[in-house]
Amino acid sequence: SQQGEEDPQALSIQEGENATMNCSYKTSINNLQWYRQNSGRGLVHLILIRSNEREKHSGRLRVTLDTSKKSSSLLITASRAADTASYFCATDANAGGTSYGKLTFGQGTILTVHP
Amino acid sequence: GAVVSQHPSWVICKSGTSVKIECRSLDFQATTMFWYRQFPKQSLMLMATSNEGSKATYEQGVEKDKFLINHASLTLSTLTVTSAHPEDSSFYICSARVYRLAGDNEQFFGPGTRLTVL
């Protein structure tokens, strides 16, 4: 089964609306990270939330983490056409307190923001 | 800071040839780099972990003799796809690990290399 599953797979909204993407995972984690990828490009790190944190903000981004439900959400407020991209969550698994440094990526959400 | 580059950005080669992809950390030293593969409209799949001065650690199902990884310095890791075949056509992305605080593992990604094998 897949660590870091996301929903929805695709999201289409109008400029100015908020976009919410969800991520679920299966194992214990050190932290969870969100990345953005424009088509055919590399990934851009958006935000990292540690396992002992519940919410984090960065500009128009708000990330929540519920370790009891093993889930996270990414909210983009007041979306812009330039936010159109794929968004991935990635988990840094915790194995007995040791971070092996490997990230496991979710399947991603394709966000389209219409002007 | 924390910029990672890849070269080339795209490459087209004939079946049976070998292709080398370079991953460099430009403004920091990276003892650990990672190589991922991404097929169209899919997520990133970790291929291997590249450690400076030691052998790479490959994920299950990844052929180490086909995907040769060399991490010769603290700023350079290379991935060589040997005897490439059309099914190796993919987007290859590297990342470098940056420690900011104890326990954190933030990775910075290169722009990727599009490999097309004819």
Side-chain angles (χ1 to χ4, degrees):
Chain A
S1 52
Q2 182 75 34
Q3 173 89 331
E5 299 186 7
E6 296 178 66
D7 75 272
Q9 291 185 332
L11 181 61
S12 182
I13 58 175
Q14 295 295 128
E15 224 173 13
E17 295 180 340
N18 296 340
T20 300
M21 290 160 267
N22 302 297
C23 168
S24 62
Y25 58 93
K26 298 186 189 308
T27 65
S28 179
I29 62 171
N30 286 316
N31 60 63
L32 185 145
Q33 303 175 40
W34 285 90
Y35 289 85
R36 162 191 165 139
Q37 183 182 36
N38 288 81
S39 180
R41 302 288 186 90
L43 273 70
V44 174
H45 185 268
L46 294 177
I47 197 164
L48 180 153
I49 185 166
R50 299 188 189 95
S51 60
N52 62 353
E53 296 176 314
R54 293 296 166 258
E55 188 170 311
K56 206 161 183 180
H57 297 254
S58 177
R60 294 185 294 113
L61 306 180
R62 181 172 81 97
V63 168
T64 62
L65 179 64
D66 187 336
T67 53
S68 66
K69 296 180 179 178
K70 291 186 167 59
S71 67
S72 173
S73 68
L74 170 67
L75 167 68
I76 303 174
T77 60
S79 63
R80 305 166 183 169
D83 295 329
T84 295
S86 293
Y87 291 82
F88 294 93
C89 68
T91 51
D92 177 12
N94 181 349
T98 301
S99 168
Y100 291 109
K102 298 194 297 186
L103 294 180
T104 302
F105 283 81
Q107 292 303 305
T109 295
I110 301 173
L111 173 66
T112 304
V113 182
H114 300 280
Chain B
V3 177
V4 176
S5 71
Q6 275 183 248
H7 177 81
S9 56
W10 60 270
V11 56
I12 300 173
C13 69
K14 293 182 179 180
S15 187
T17 60
S18 295
V19 175
K20 180 186 282 188
I21 302 170
E22 293 184 348
C23 177
R24 293 182 185 272
S25 56
L26 297 185
D27 50 3
F28 66 100
Q29 293 181 332
T31 55
T32 303
M33 291 183 173
F34 301 90
W35 286 96
Y36 296 84
R37 182 166 54 182
Q38 185 180 33
F39 291 107
K41 298 190 186 302
Q42 293 189 24
S43 186
L44 280 74
M45 295 298 295
L46 180 64
M47 299 175 66
T49 302
S50 171
N51 297 297
E52 187 268 337
S54 65
K55 291 183 179 179
T57 304
Y58 291 82
E59 295 300 299
Q60 195 171 11
V62 178
E63 301 175 57
K64 61 181 180 181
D65 294 330
K66 179 167 186 63
F67 299 99
L68 302 179
I69 291 172
N70 184 14
H71 196 151
S73 77
L74 288 172
T75 59
L76 174 64
S77 175
T78 60
L79 168 69
T80 301
V81 183
T82 63
S83 187
H85 291 284
E87 57 265 30
D88 298 324
S89 298
S90 187
F91 193 52
Y92 291 87
I93 308 176
C94 73
S95 72
R97 186 177 182 184
V98 177
Y99 286 98
R100 295 198 187 281
L101 295 173
D104 278 356
N105 168 31
E106 187 174 339
Q107 293 185 24
F108 287 86
F109 286 78
T113 296
R114 173 83 52 199
L115 170 63
T116 302
V117 185
L118 303 176

